[in-house]
Amino acid sequence: MFHIDALSRKPIYEQIVEQIERFVLTGLLKPGEQIPSVRSLSIELSINPNTIQKAYSELDARGIIRSVPGKGCFICENAPAVLTEHKRGKLSDLTRTIEELALAGIEKKEIEECVEKAYANILRKGEAGE
Amino acid sequence: MFHIDALSRKPIYEQIVEQIERFVLTGLLKPGEQIPSVRSLSIELSINPNTIQKAYSELDARGIIRSVPGKGCFICENAPAVLTEHKRGKLSDLTRTIEELALAGIEKKEIEECVEKAYANILRKGEAGE
Amino acid sequence: MFHIDALSRKPIYEQIVEQIERFVLTGLLKPGEQIPSVRSLSIELSINPNTIQKAYSELDARGIIRSVPGKGCFICENAPAVLTEHKRGKLSDLTRTIEELALAGIEKKEIEECVEKAYANILRKGEAGE
Amino acid sequence: MFHIDALSRKPIYEQIVEQIERFVLTGLLKPGEQIPSVRSLSIELSINPNTIQKAYSELDARGIIRSVPGKGCFICENAPAVLTEHKRGKLSDLTRTIEELALAGIEKKEIEECVEKAYANILRKGEAGE
DNA sequence: GTGGTCTAGACCACG
DNA sequence: GTGGTCTAGACCACA
């Protein structure tokens, strides 16, 4: 289920955060559902429990999961909405990124192809998942 | 000419690299032109010379500038082309970024607005600069 | 009668303690009255008996209930008085909490509104309950 | 400057967070100012650096400080405003706390005395600090 | 020197 | 069993 790249410069705990967020968006993890315990995931991924804990704390702080001592961690009811709004806030970053590409002489048409491709990919995966 | 945000999470050397690359793309620095020496820039920006050196080494490795011992650093002839190709290689990253936004329920229309806005901004600045 | 939020960060045993104390203060449970047995309550709330036991032990230690072996648990005669005095001891905590708000620039007027609102709420509920 | 109660049930990292927030509100730490480094504070308080790090991460996430790798941690410009808004959000908690006291038979007058005392204390300290 | 990440191993309260 | 805190000690990139 999880895939960790230990050699990536992206911290392990961040990789876990992103993957769980992705699972929520793809519907693999649904609101109310329990996620793997800190210890079990640490064993499954051969990663120190503290690292998992840090990832879960981050998700808790963002309102994606709810950590309940003695019981476990559960996906928040409004986790998908939280994620959508969080991503919407990154549209300005996207604009700046595209500006840099435009400045470098990348044609608008090439960017538009990326947009088409991205939405085509999502649609394809969505159909496969349904 | 340079603007460094000391409190940014982005490493200072990276800020310098990006700004010089930007100067090349906007035509503010032309191929063959000499850039400030490590020492003079370190004084101008009140920054450790090692940091400037690291930025210049990075630019040298990317083929943007060429260090000529005893004379200084100069913008490579094909620097603009190198940069364009480098950015083109990031189109796949862009596609993945857009995929994530799409997955989070961001409408295609919102992305397209970003694209339009980015190209409009570039055009505007380009006219102002000419 | 009881309402337990399993996903709350507040320990379940503490939720039970607070609710029984509240029942005593609102008159829903009167001195001398018997409260549900550990076993029956554990079944009713689908909660581990040990958890109920811990709540009852806490109430016993505070002088709110008295466990009579073989007969059950009963509300102490002076439970309401005990609770009032216990709460009065928390007035210093309240002062410190308000100090923090004041320090943060919250206007005295805003605090006074909270006081008014709180007493209005209690009055309203009291009338409804009577 | 700092005072840590190792025997408190309040986590050490949280005590540090609260004290720094308090220093910001009292003006002891001003926006833009650098706070003690993780290592120096860990030595001063005889506390593990990781614990300090956790406190600083929390403050960074809340927008109170800005951690800059290689440079240090600095109080954010709008830290006081952030704190005030954060505290204002706790007014509903305060109302509920007062409700509980009211229900227990605490006279409104006693609560009002707390309010007066709290604001008197703040005023007094403010004058002393000026 | 700075902050940040990770591991190993311990202890706690809660259920 | 669960999550949460803390320590000790290591390593990294950045300045």
Side-chain angles (χ1 to χ4, degrees):
Chain A
M1 185 165 172
F2 287 87
H3 175 64
I4 299 301
D5 176 7
L7 296 185
S8 165
R9 58 242 300 158
K10 186 168 291 184
I12 294 175
Y13 82 93
E14 214 172 305
Q15 294 182 43
I16 295 172
V17 165
E18 287 181 2
Q19 288 187 41
I20 289 184
E21 288 186 344
R22 192 173 185 85
F23 292 153
V24 169
L25 286 175
T26 57
L28 221 145
L29 283 176
K30 296 187 198 314
E33 199 169 340
Q34 187 167 6
I35 63 177
S37 78
V38 170
R39 287 163 173 78
S40 69
L41 190 55
S42 85
I43 293 171
E44 184 188 330
L45 302 179
S46 304
I47 280 176
N48 190 287
N50 286 333
T51 303
I52 310 288
Q53 182 79 264
K54 185 167 186 177
Y56 281 14
S57 297
E58 181 72 27
L59 286 164
D60 185 300
R62 291 194 197 176
I64 307 299
I65 69 170
R66 178 114 184 161
S67 291
V68 188
K71 306 205 195 71
C73 295
F74 306 84
I75 306 291
C76 288
E77 289 304 323
N78 59 351
V82 168
L83 286 173
T84 297
E85 278 320 296
H86 184 245
K87 295 287 185 184
R88 197 183 304 277
K90 290 197 169 174
L91 283 177
S92 61
D93 288 3
L94 180 69
T95 305
R96 220 173 317 130
T97 299
I98 297 175
E99 273 181 39
E100 281 182 23
L101 295 172
L103 188 64
I106 304 287
E107 299 289 336
K108 194 174 172 184
K109 204 174 155 187
E110 296 177 80
I111 306 289
E112 287 168 344
E113 277 173 20
C114 287
V115 178
E116 295 299 330
K117 206 192 300 179
Y119 275 86
N121 285 344
I122 293 300
L123 206 66
R124 190 159 46 76
K125 287 178 189 170
E127 286 170 353
E130 297 291 331
Chain B
M1 187 166 172
F2 286 88
H3 176 63
I4 300 300
D5 177 5
L7 287 193
S8 166
R9 249 100 164 183
K10 186 168 291 183
I12 291 176
Y13 85 94
E14 212 173 307
Q15 293 183 44
I16 295 172
V17 165
E18 285 182 3
Q19 287 187 40
I20 290 184
E21 289 187 344
R22 193 174 183 88
F23 292 153
V24 169
L25 287 174
T26 58
L28 222 144
L29 283 176
K30 297 190 197 314
E33 200 169 337
Q34 186 170 5
I35 64 175
S37 75
V38 169
R39 261 181 299 172
S40 68
L41 191 53
S42 85
I43 293 171
E44 184 189 331
L45 301 179
S46 307
I47 279 176
N48 191 312
N50 293 332
T51 306
I52 310 288
Q53 185 56 57
K54 181 158 189 179
Y56 281 15
S57 299
E58 181 69 27
L59 286 163
D60 192 310
R62 291 194 197 176
I64 308 298
I65 68 172
R66 201 156 50 95
S67 271
V68 184
K71 289 192 184 156
C73 296
F74 304 84
I75 305 293
C76 290
E77 288 304 323
N78 58 349
V82 167
L83 284 173
T84 297
E85 279 322 296
H86 182 245
K87 294 289 184 184
R88 197 183 306 278
K90 291 198 170 173
L91 282 177
S92 60
D93 288 2
L94 180 69
T95 305
R96 219 172 318 130
T97 300
I98 297 175
E99 274 181 38
E100 279 183 24
L101 295 172
L103 188 63
I106 304 288
E107 299 289 336
K108 193 176 176 181
K109 204 176 154 188
E110 296 178 81
I111 306 289
E112 288 167 343
E113 277 173 20
C114 287
V115 178
E116 295 299 330
K117 205 191 299 179
Y119 274 87
N121 286 344
I122 292 301
L123 206 66
R124 190 159 46 76
K125 287 178 189 169
E127 287 168 353
E130 297 291 333
Chain C
M1 186 165 169
F2 287 88
H3 176 63
I4 299 300
D5 177 6
L7 288 192
S8 167
R9 249 99 164 185
K10 187 167 290 184
I12 291 176
Y13 85 93
E14 212 172 306
Q15 293 183 43
I16 295 172
V17 165
E18 285 183 2
Q19 287 187 39
I20 289 184
E21 289 188 345
R22 193 174 182 87
F23 291 153
V24 169
L25 287 174
T26 57
L28 223 144
L29 283 176
K30 297 190 196 316
E33 200 168 339
Q34 186 170 7
I35 63 175
S37 75
V38 169
R39 260 181 300 172
S40 69
L41 192 53
S42 86
I43 292 171
E44 184 190 330
L45 302 179
S46 307
I47 280 176
N48 191 311
N50 292 332
T51 305
I52 310 288
Q53 186 55 57
K54 182 160 188 176
Y56 281 15
S57 300
E58 181 70 26
L59 286 164
D60 193 308
R62 291 193 196 177
I64 308 299
I65 67 173
R66 200 155 53 94
S67 270
V68 183
K71 290 193 184 154
C73 294
F74 303 84
I75 305 293
C76 290
E77 288 304 324
N78 58 349
V82 167
L83 284 173
T84 298
E85 278 321 297
H86 183 244
K87 295 288 184 184
R88 196 183 305 277
K90 290 197 170 173
L91 282 176
S92 60
D93 288 2
L94 180 70
T95 304
R96 218 171 318 130
T97 300
I98 297 175
E99 273 182 40
E100 280 184 22
L101 295 172
L103 188 63
I106 304 287
E107 298 290 336
K108 194 175 174 183
K109 206 175 154 189
E110 295 179 81
I111 306 289
E112 288 168 343
E113 277 173 20
C114 286
V115 178
E116 295 300 330
K117 206 190 300 178
Y119 275 86
N121 285 344
I122 292 301
L123 206 65
R124 189 158 46 77
K125 287 178 189 169
E127 286 168 355
E130 296 293 332
Chain D
M1 187 166 171
F2 288 87
H3 175 63
I4 299 301
D5 176 6
L7 296 185
S8 165
R9 58 243 299 159
K10 186 167 290 184
I12 294 175
Y13 81 93
E14 215 172 302
Q15 294 182 43
I16 295 172
V17 166
E18 286 182 1
Q19 288 186 40
I20 289 184
E21 288 186 344
R22 192 173 185 86
F23 292 154
V24 169
L25 287 174
T26 57
L28 221 145
L29 284 176
K30 296 189 198 313
E33 198 169 340
Q34 187 166 5
I35 64 177
S37 79
V38 170
R39 287 164 173 77
S40 67
L41 191 53
S42 85
I43 293 171
E44 184 189 330
L45 301 180
S46 304
I47 281 176
N48 190 288
N50 286 333
T51 304
I52 311 288
Q53 183 80 266
K54 185 166 186 176
Y56 282 14
S57 297
E58 181 72 27
L59 286 164
D60 185 300
R62 290 194 197 176
I64 308 299
I65 69 170
R66 179 112 184 161
S67 291
V68 188
K71 305 204 195 74
C73 295
F74 307 83
I75 305 291
C76 288
E77 290 304 324
N78 58 350
V82 168
L83 285 173
T84 297
E85 278 320 298
H86 184 245
K87 294 288 185 184
R88 197 183 303 278
K90 291 198 170 173
L91 282 177
S92 60
D93 288 4
L94 180 69
T95 304
R96 220 173 317 131
T97 300
I98 297 176
E99 274 181 40
E100 281 183 21
L101 296 172
L103 188 64
I106 305 287
E107 298 290 337
K108 194 174 174 182
K109 205 176 153 188
E110 295 177 82
I111 306 289
E112 287 167 343
E113 277 173 20
C114 287
V115 178
E116 296 300 330
K117 205 192 300 179
Y119 275 85
N121 285 344
I122 292 301
L123 205 66
R124 188 158 47 77
K125 287 179 188 168
E127 286 168 355
E130 297 291 333

